[in-house]
Amino acid sequence: MTHGDGRSPGFEWAGSLDEVALASVYARCAELRFSGRLLLYNIVGKASGDPVVVEFLGGDAVDAVTSTAWRSGHFQLVQALPDLSGALTEGLEMRGTLVATSPRELIRHCQTLRLSVDVFLQHRSGARALLRFAHGRVETAAVDGVPELGALARVERWTEGEFRLVLRPLFADDAPAPPPSVPPLKDVSGQDFDLSTRTRMPPLRSQDADGLGEDPPGPGRSLGSVALRAGDPARGASGSGELAQAAGGVVVAGAGPAGQWVGRRWIWMMTAAVAVLGLGALTWILTRHS
């Protein structure tokens, strides 16, 4: 495997710590999923030619320094490509064979370290593929210049050939746009929580908690160890044998409360009795006048 050392505009960003706070530099590295080195010059207690170096992988500082110590001087961000072991190289690209490094390993490497790179693959048969990543996500995938949905699955089966992995510049005009930040969600109590946290269910009210388990669980009446009572919001407004959305997203078929079923059966019996009596009376009248 070989590494390229060439460098071109767009792979470096330099500025003054008097104008850009070090905390803002860290935030920018995280936003761009920056992999490379941060060089800090003219720091208090350091000679001007002896920079402090902080390495970044996928936007995360390997060994961060505190920002309170540096309020002046200047900084320089220099992109560098991590190798397959996760160590930063001195260059912007690397080459190798698909016999030693499979396409699946290359794809996993780009996704894990959230790289913005172009991966060029050439099969032994002459077929060529391009996989373009932006911050660890596949942006485009094409085989022989033709984009296709199955390109990733197709190239993953290539076991012979060569690859070339090249960093994309993060500080150029045509750099890939940073991924949008995920807005926080609000639960029913109005408190913020982001999508990375586990979804929380609203707390039970005291009257709900006291009533749980009063009715014995029957067919279609229980969810886990919690029995649904008549009038529970999860059962639905009618309380009959409808599909009810229960807590946790589980849909259960709920039978109506026993009291409602007995009441409805009594109404049906009374209606049938009235109908029979009415039919008998009508028959007697017709027979009498015939």
Side-chain angles (χ1 to χ4, degrees):
M1 184 179 299
T2 59
H3 302 278
D5 296 328
R7 193 170 299 280
S8 59
F11 291 96
E12 298 184 6
W13 176 40
S16 171
L17 292 174
D18 297 317
E19 300 175 356
V20 182
L22 187 57
S24 299
V25 176
Y26 274 83
R28 185 61 174 166
C29 291
E31 181 185 32
L32 296 176
R33 277 52 167 176
F34 173 77
S35 288
R37 297 175 178 87
L38 168 63
L39 309 179
L40 299 173
Y41 295 91
N42 296 329
I43 308 302
V44 176
K46 296 286 185 179
S48 59
D50 186 16
V52 172
V53 180
V54 181
E55 293 188 347
F56 283 81
L57 291 173
D60 298 326
V62 177
D63 188 12
V65 296
T66 59
S67 59
T68 56
W70 296 276
R71 295 180 180 149
S72 62
H74 63 279
F75 67 90
Q76 184 180 15
L77 285 173
V78 182
Q79 283 185 253
L81 183 66
D83 62 19
L84 297 177
S85 68
L88 286 179
T89 67
E90 298 296 330
L92 301 175
E93 67 177 73
M94 64 180 177
R95 304 168 182 258
T97 67
L98 298 180
V99 175
T101 306
S102 68
R104 180 170 297 182
E105 290 178 283
L106 293 173
I107 294 171
R108 186 185 302 113
H109 176 63
C110 298
Q111 293 174 336
T112 301
L113 293 182
R114 297 177 288 187
L115 299 178
S116 295
V117 296
D118 287 329
V119 181
F120 300 92
L121 304 170
Q122 181 171 355
H123 192 259
R124 186 185 64 170
S125 64
R128 297 173 181 268
L130 168 61
L131 308 178
R132 168 160 282 194
F133 289 82
H135 310 292
R137 300 180 179 181
V138 178
E139 193 175 75
T140 58
V143 177
D144 289 332
V146 180
E148 57 179 86
L149 294 176
L152 283 178
R154 182 176 173 183
V155 301
E156 281 186 346
R157 296 192 296 267
W158 292 3
T159 57
E160 294 181 320
E162 299 177 345
F163 75 86
R164 178 169 170 249
L165 196 152
V166 184
L167 270 181
R168 300 172 63 185
L170 294 178
F171 308 112
D173 293 337
D174 59 347
S181 57
V182 179
L185 298 178
K186 288 184 179 292
D187 63 11
V188 293
S189 63
Q191 298 178 350
D192 293 338
F193 64 102
D194 57 41
L195 290 177
S196 62
T197 61
R198 183 172 58 86
T199 302
R200 297 176 294 176
M201 296 299 296
L204 288 173
R205 297 171 301 174
S206 58
Q207 57 267 38
D208 293 336
D210 294 339
L212 286 178
E214 288 181 356
D215 295 331
R221 297 287 306 280
S222 63
L223 177 66
S225 60
V226 179
L228 297 179
R229 298 182 296 109
D232 279 351
R235 178 171 296 283
S238 65
S240 61
E242 301 173 350
L243 287 178
Q245 184 72 34
V250 180
V251 178
V252 295
Q260 293 185 15
W261 167 245
V262 172
R264 290 175 181 174
R265 185 172 59 180
W266 175 251
I267 293 174
W268 293 341
M269 293 175 63
M270 291 294 296
T271 303
V274 172
V276 171
L277 291 176
L279 182 60
L282 180 61
T283 303
W284 180 79
I285 294 173
L286 293 176
T287 304
R288 182 181 181 87
H289 293 277
S290 61

